[in-house]
Amino acid sequence: MGDFRVGFLLGTSPRLQYAAQMIGTLVAALVAPTMFLIFASAYPCILSAEDTAGDGGDYQCEFPAPSVAAWRAIVLAVTRPESPIPRSSWVFSIAMAVLASVMVLVKNLFNSTWNRIQPYYPNMMIMAMAFTLPSTQYGTAMFIGAVIASVWKRKWPDGFEKYAYAVAAGAMAGEGIGGVINAILSGIGLDGGNFGTTVGTP
């Protein structure tokens, strides 16, 4: 549904969106296994987390997979005899669940003042997503994109309305293509670990 929402914002007709979904599904069925083999060869830690476990047993990998790390943590939590989740995490989870419920009630019960409080109303879905990411580069990228979008919308609102979503989609696609190229270079031994420099990188 998220794809169709983006298509709506871009002004694409429903017919073309469904056609694109069908074509994309067929292509993905052929391309996805190949991409998985490429990434698994370049980053073996995707298949074996123990090979790259940190000192504290945390999941670490050159190619972070947030969904993999999150599901791995869930499996470990429900299969071990003693829960590895500390009490503070349980308390925090319950507190955040209560807070999110209250925020939904505020949003639906105070419609008359919604326009005034909307700028200060946090997106609870984005906040929850941030807690599932094992690294900071995703949040950093979102922050940079949000700042650029805010300045763009304020300075050139017409151009923002026309091109913002297309530019954002292109940036995400470019990041994905760059990841594939990086995985291929890593697989053949031409990655940054063997060539290049780390000057200017964290």
Side-chain angles (χ1 to χ4, degrees):
M1 295 304 295
D3 295 338
F4 291 118
R5 181 175 184 273
V6 173
F8 170 77
L9 294 173
L10 293 175
T12 308
S13 67
R15 184 186 299 273
L16 290 178
Q17 291 187 58
Y18 277 108
Q21 287 285 331
M22 294 177 64
I23 295 173
T25 300
L26 294 175
V27 173
L30 300 175
V31 175
T34 303
M35 292 296 100
F36 177 79
L37 292 176
I38 292 175
F39 277 93
S41 299
Y43 310 103
C45 54
I46 295 177
L47 302 176
S48 179
E50 287 74 14
D51 293 341
T52 55
D55 295 336
D58 297 331
Y59 182 77
Q60 297 179 354
C61 185
E62 299 93 339
F63 181 77
S67 297
V68 175
W71 282 109
R72 178 177 180 271
I74 293 174
V75 170
L76 293 177
V78 300
T79 56
R80 289 183 176 179
E82 296 182 0
S83 176
I85 302 176
R87 182 181 180 86
S88 59
S89 295
W90 287 102
V91 173
F92 181 78
S93 298
I94 295 173
M96 290 300 294
V98 172
L99 175 62
S101 300
V102 171
M103 298 298 288
V104 172
L105 292 175
V106 170
K107 179 179 178 180
N108 290 278
L109 295 179
F110 296 93
N111 293 327
S112 59
T113 59
W114 173 244
N115 291 332
R116 286 186 297 174
I117 66 175
Q118 186 176 10
Y120 310 101
Y121 186 90
N123 189 321
M124 301 304 293
M125 182 67 71
I126 297 300
M127 292 180 62
M129 183 184 298
F131 285 106
T132 67
L133 300 178
S135 52
T136 60
Q137 64 260 36
Y138 298 102
T140 303
M142 292 178 187
F143 175 76
I144 294 173
V147 171
I148 294 174
S150 178
V151 174
W152 186 4
K153 185 176 182 179
R154 183 174 300 178
K155 296 292 185 180
W156 303 280
D158 293 338
F160 178 85
E161 292 297 330
K162 290 181 180 179
Y163 305 113
Y165 294 103
V167 170
M172 289 186 288
E175 192 273 341
I177 295 173
V180 173
I181 295 174
N182 189 47
I184 294 174
L185 293 177
S186 297
I188 61 178
L190 297 178
D191 59 316
N194 297 317
F195 299 94
T197 178
T198 58
V199 174
T201 59

